[in-house]
Amino acid sequence: MGRAFVYVILGGGVAAGYAAHEFVKKDVPHGELCIISDEPVAPYERPALSKGFLLPEAPARLPSFHCCVGSNEERLTPKWYKEHGIELILGTRVKSADVKRKTLLTTAGETISYKTLIVATGARPLKLEEFGVTISDADNVCYLRNLADAQRLVNVMESSTGGNAIVIGGGYIGMECAASLVINKVNVTMVFPEAHCMGRLFTPKIASYYEEFYKSKGVKFVKGTVLTSFDSNSEGKVTAVNLRDGTKLPADMVVVGIGIRPNTSLFEGQLTLEKGGIKVNGLMQSSNASVYAVGDVAAFPVKVFGDIRRLEHVDAARKAASHAVTAIMNPDKSIDFDYLPFFYSRVFTLSWQFYGDNIGEAIHFGDYSGTTFGAYWISKGRIVGSFLEGGTKDEYEALSKMTRLKPEVDDLAELERQGLDFATTV
Ligand code: FAD
């Protein structure tokens, strides 16, 4: 058995939702587009899972965060897909792909063929087993990537009120989950091997601000060490975590956020891969002209830095998805994607944004004992990256515009003195 579509989006996450939205803006004929997703629900804004979804009061629940509310556009509910003649094939996993024949085979045994495929399979969390730690599938050990994970985390969190949570990993999943756990009255200890939180992005000075803030909320940090094993009880529940430095931490629950791996396996040996993802050109087109890739799974040319990068952030997924659809539907008008990397996070009452690249020398500005502060990164005499906590919409826009221009700076002391004013006056 089988079905044929002109356009198939494989994966039903953020990039899929934004791609569907763009297809409709471009008047895709009814019946020509389908989305295949192993999740049971229509595409939604994944970042909500570690923020609004985990709130104890009035938590966000679907349909409130279906795509594309994240960019203040209409909410694409299942009804919307139906009204626009888009087939949503949900709860369906694709187990193999044949890019020469242009077919996908689902675990239900159906063959779905396409003329053009958009791969938007995202990524999966790295598991502790990959680092030699076993029994991480215990009931009270949580990962966070999809709705099912988030629901499970909520259940475990609710049964751990007043108890101890160990958060493994100091990246944004760990930081956002730790904040949510505290808000839910669970005591948190964060454990990670780096010298400070958000090790891939923050400078020690920026990290120190957030760590002090977290400490003021009762969060404890155990840095420079890793988890080596769990203690568990007769019900298979984890009761403590053992660290390499010999420490044993009692645990009512564990949250693991130690990174992700892009879901490329269906295409290995069929498409060119780079940086762990599917290599695409400026149109988001892979080494096979009928296959495009967007979102966490795609490695694309970042023009402003002249190299290929794979970004694991929602804004890139949204914009690359729209870009790919424009290239597919209006090939005459298509130009190369020109994207300035942008990440953000919100925790407690804090909120930061980052643009560009965090290489070279960091110049910090603003009041690190107050609420608004930031940093510029300078490489080869130019500003290549910028960070701001507690900014206004206009200030973030100014920062983004300035970073894209990569202005030359010769007097770093003067840049430090001007601080945010530098960005708003460039
Ligand atoms: P996803 O949204 O992950 O979608 C991939 C989809 O493909 C999923 O539906 C998956 O089930 C499906 N799929 C995969 N393989 C198959 C298959 N073989 N068959 C069928 N379906 C398949 N980014 C930020 O910039 N800021 C944030 O604050 C932020 N917060 C986040 C919080 C959480 C909890 C998480 C998990 C991520 C967060 N991100 C954030 C990252 C952001 O959500 C991702 O960059 C974005 O979701 C990538 O979109 P995507 O469509 O590529 O992948």
Side-chain angles (χ1 to χ4, degrees):
M1 69 171 185
R3 279 182 274 183
F5 293 89
V6 180
Y7 311 105
V8 171
I9 301 172
L10 170 55
V14 172
Y18 281 75
H21 191 241
E22 193 66 40
F23 267 117
V24 167
K25 282 209 262 177
K26 304 232 165 355
D27 294 323
V28 68
H30 283 214
E32 290 198 352
L33 170 65
C34 90
I35 294 179
I36 312 173
S37 174
D38 58 3
E39 291 194 76
V41 293
Y44 56 88
E45 302 284 358
R46 203 163 296 280
L49 298 181
S50 54
K51 303 176 184 69
F53 197 91
L54 302 181
L55 290 176
E57 304 284 331
R61 290 290 177 268
L62 288 176
S64 75
F65 59 95
H66 276 302
C67 299
C68 301
V69 284
S71 62
N72 295 322
E73 302 212 52
E74 64 191 306
R75 196 158 32 101
L76 314 187
T77 59
K79 187 163 161 257
W80 180 89
Y81 290 93
K82 203 164 189 188
E83 280 167 6
H84 291 91
I86 299 169
E87 190 86 20
L88 273 183
I89 305 177
L90 300 177
T92 301
R93 187 164 184 74
V94 167
K95 67 172 182 183
S96 65
D98 186 333
V99 301
K100 286 212 177 82
R101 292 207 167 115
K102 301 190 183 183
T103 57
L104 304 171
L105 178 63
T106 71
T107 44
E110 185 179 14
T111 299
I112 293 175
S113 61
Y114 60 82
K115 287 207 167 98
T116 302
L117 175 67
I118 299 183
V119 182
T121 46
R124 61 179 175 78
L126 277 173
K127 294 283 167 108
L128 287 169
E129 279 84 347
E130 297 176 55
F131 298 88
V133 179
T134 48
I135 67 150
S136 64
D137 57 353
D139 281 353
N140 57 345
V141 176
C142 303
Y143 290 84
L144 184 56
R145 182 71 197 183
N146 59 30
L147 199 60
D149 296 336
Q151 191 54 61
R152 186 160 169 268
L153 177 56
V154 166
N155 296 343
V156 175
M157 194 163 65
E158 281 173 0
S159 66
S160 303
T161 310
N164 298 312
I166 310 299
V167 174
I168 308 292
Y172 70 87
I173 293 284
M175 292 298 278
E176 292 189 4
C177 287
S180 295
L181 285 158
V182 168
I183 294 168
N184 281 276
K185 301 193 169 28
V186 183
N187 304 308
V188 177
T189 303
M190 296 192 70
V191 178
F192 48 84
E194 296 86 6
H196 60 74
C197 69
M198 297 293 294
R200 284 200 293 170
L201 179 62
F202 286 179
T203 64
K205 187 176 168 89
I206 297 174
S208 154
Y209 177 90
Y210 291 92
E211 289 182 12
E212 289 308 316
F213 191 95
Y214 272 55
K215 283 183 201 164
S216 76
K217 300 280 178 190
V219 175
K220 297 192 183 82
F221 288 88
V222 181
K223 303 189 268 186
T225 189
V226 293
L227 166 82
T228 48
S229 66
F230 289 120
D231 290 354
S232 57
N233 63 17
S234 54
E235 292 157 21
K237 277 198 167 173
V238 165
T239 54
V241 303
N242 298 306
L243 308 182
R244 184 180 289 156
D245 67 4
T247 316
K248 184 189 287 291
L249 300 170
D252 296 289
M253 65 179 290
V254 177
V255 180
V256 185
I258 52 175
I260 58 173
R261 279 271 155 76
N263 292 320
T264 54
S265 61
L266 296 172
F267 301 97
E268 276 160 24
Q270 302 194 73
L271 302 176
T272 305
L273 302 184
E274 195 169 319
K275 305 257 161 89
I278 296 172
K279 185 180 180 188
V280 294
N281 61 19
L283 306 179
M284 314 313 288
Q285 191 175 33
S286 75
S287 54
N288 179 300
S290 306
V291 181
Y292 291 70
V294 292
D296 287 3
V297 79
F300 64 92
V302 177
K303 256 188 174 179
V304 66
F305 297 123
D307 59 11
I308 303 268
R309 294 190 188 186
R310 198 180 56 70
L311 303 178
E312 299 171 353
H313 295 281
V314 72
D315 182 67
R318 291 171 180 155
K319 295 198 172 125
S322 303
H323 196 86
V325 175
T326 302
I328 292 164
M329 299 289 278
N330 301 118
D332 310 343
K333 289 192 193 145
S334 57
I335 49 165
D336 282 346
F337 192 39
D338 186 6
Y339 182 73
L340 178 73
F342 160 60
F343 321 144
Y344 72 92
S345 182
R346 291 192 301 270
V347 283
F348 295 114
T349 49
L350 306 175
S351 172
W352 57 260
Q353 302 200 1
F354 169 84
Y355 298 91
D357 215 356
N358 60 332
I359 55 164
E361 186 179 349
I363 298 292
H364 299 90
F365 62 79
D367 180 5
Y368 275 73
S369 56
T371 53
T372 306
F373 57 87
Y376 297 123
W377 280 263
I378 291 91
S379 174
K380 296 182 185 149
R382 291 179 177 278
I383 296 186
V384 293
S386 58
F387 170 91
L388 182 64
E389 162 65 46
T392 62
K393 190 166 173 279
D394 288 350
E395 286 166 346
Y396 286 127
E397 260 167 37
L399 215 60
S400 156
K401 269 194 196 149
M402 180 279 296
T403 310
R404 178 171 278 282
L405 293 172
K406 293 199 288 180
E408 264 182 76
V409 278
D410 41 26
D411 186 345
L412 298 186
E414 174 60 13
L415 178 67
E416 186 176 358
R417 199 195 55 75
Q418 285 190 27
L420 191 54
D421 287 347
F422 179 86
T424 50
T425 50
V426 157

